[in-house]
Amino acid sequence: MTFTKMPEKQGLYSPEFEHDACGMGFVSQIKGQKSHQIVEQALEVLVNLSHRGASGSEENTGDGAGILLQLPDSFLRQKLKSEGANLPEEGNYGTGMVFLPREEEKRKGVKEIVEAAVEAEGQQVITWREVPVNPDGLGKSAVEVMPYFSQIFIEKSKEVEQGIDFERKLYLIRKKIENKIRNSEYQGELYFASLSSRTLVYKGMLTPEQLEGFFPDLSQPELKSAIALVHSRF
């Protein structure tokens, strides 16, 4: 069926409230069984939402696209083990996707503020992981403002309970870090895409088609989730 004009006003519906908006999609395995197939299906949904996204004057510079997943514990554990770091039991650590400065000295300064804030709240930074990215095919505008993508791993203290209590602590840590950065020489040099013991976000100034290729992690069979939420920004 093809619509050539807006439907007539009826009931609670009025065509005057129609407007363009972002595209969003959600995929889940109702029994909670994690698999890479859920990630693949969500990325397919995202590509099919291209018409709900936007780009700049360059077709290959997107307005933004991303995916939220359950924390892929086994995948992250495997990656960090190869780098000589070990994670506590699932639920006893949080992970954040952090956008940092590309300049090494600035990045070092921002990390010091982050780590001090984490320790001030009685928690401990386990390690940082450089997130691999592939900028091939990105527009000039996107490349020029591209940050350094990193994941931070924070161990929960014994005084904090797993679950919502730890989530609240991570939220507080995030807000305190953002305030400290805002009032420092590094204003505008840090952004948290996520910080949680339950979920992890991959996103960037990308088109829906570029997300998977930009973040090689998303193509790894070991990266599994039972839920996935995708977003194409307009």
Side-chain angles (χ1 to χ4, degrees):
M1 183 177 182
T2 303
F3 289 101
T4 57
K5 63 178 182 178
M6 293 292 183
E8 298 294 327
K9 183 176 181 179
Q10 53 182 307
L12 296 176
Y13 171 79
S14 176
E16 66 180 289
F17 297 117
E18 291 282 1
H19 61 276
D20 294 323
C22 300
M24 299 190 72
F26 183 72
V27 180
S28 69
Q29 210 290 332
I30 59 174
K31 293 184 179 180
Q33 297 172 352
K34 296 181 180 181
S35 71
H36 186 65
Q37 183 181 15
I38 292 295
V39 180
E40 291 177 332
Q41 290 175 340
L43 291 170
E44 183 178 356
V45 169
L46 180 62
V47 171
N48 289 334
L49 287 172
S50 293
H51 65 290
R52 302 301 302 175
S55 59
S57 57
E58 304 161 345
E59 292 185 0
N60 52 358
T61 292
D63 199 27
I67 184 170
L68 177 146
L69 308 164
Q70 282 180 300
L71 195 70
D73 176 72
S74 58
F75 171 78
L76 295 173
R77 196 173 295 277
Q78 174 187 326
K79 292 298 181 184
L80 290 184
K81 189 175 182 179
S82 66
E83 298 177 9
N86 294 312
L87 289 174
E89 179 185 349
E90 186 174 5
N92 287 338
Y93 72 94
T95 305
M97 177 68 82
V98 194
F99 298 174
L100 297 170
R102 283 189 289 185
E103 298 88 343
E104 187 174 352
E105 282 303 310
K106 283 187 178 181
R107 188 161 65 247
K108 180 181 178 182
V110 170
K111 281 186 174 183
E112 288 175 352
I113 292 176
V114 171
E115 292 174 1
V118 172
E119 291 176 8
E121 287 300 316
Q123 312 308 300
Q124 181 179 346
V125 174
I126 303 168
T127 190
W128 295 80
R129 174 185 178 237
E130 179 181 355
V131 179
V133 295
N134 178 16
D136 292 349
L138 266 60
K140 180 181 177 183
S141 299
V143 172
E144 286 178 348
V145 298
M146 185 176 70
Y148 179 97
F149 294 87
S150 185
Q151 288 167 345
I152 185 174
F153 295 84
I154 300 173
E155 184 172 5
K156 180 186 73 63
S157 67
K158 294 180 180 179
E159 292 73 28
V160 178
E161 295 293 327
Q162 283 189 3
I164 191 64
D165 284 348
F166 190 33
E167 287 296 296
R168 288 175 178 144
K169 176 62 74 173
L170 292 173
Y171 177 78
L172 180 62
I173 288 171
R174 173 177 175 174
K175 289 303 177 183
K176 287 194 171 182
I177 291 170
E178 290 170 345
N179 286 333
K180 287 181 181 295
I181 292 294
R182 192 177 298 117
N183 295 301
S184 75
E185 61 184 296
Y186 303 111
Q187 182 180 6
E189 298 284 359
L190 172 142
Y191 173 76
F192 278 99
S194 63
L195 182 61
S196 172
S197 64
R198 296 176 172 178
T199 59
L200 181 62
V201 168
Y202 286 82
K203 74 174 187 177
M205 192 173 169
L206 307 163
T207 66
E209 295 86 357
Q210 291 172 336
L211 183 68
E212 182 177 10
F214 183 75
F215 291 112
D217 282 1
L218 297 175
S219 299
Q220 300 297 310
E222 297 82 10
L223 189 137
K224 301 176 182 180
S225 181
I227 62 169
L229 174 69
V230 292
H231 175 218
S232 175
R233 187 172 184 272
F234 182 83

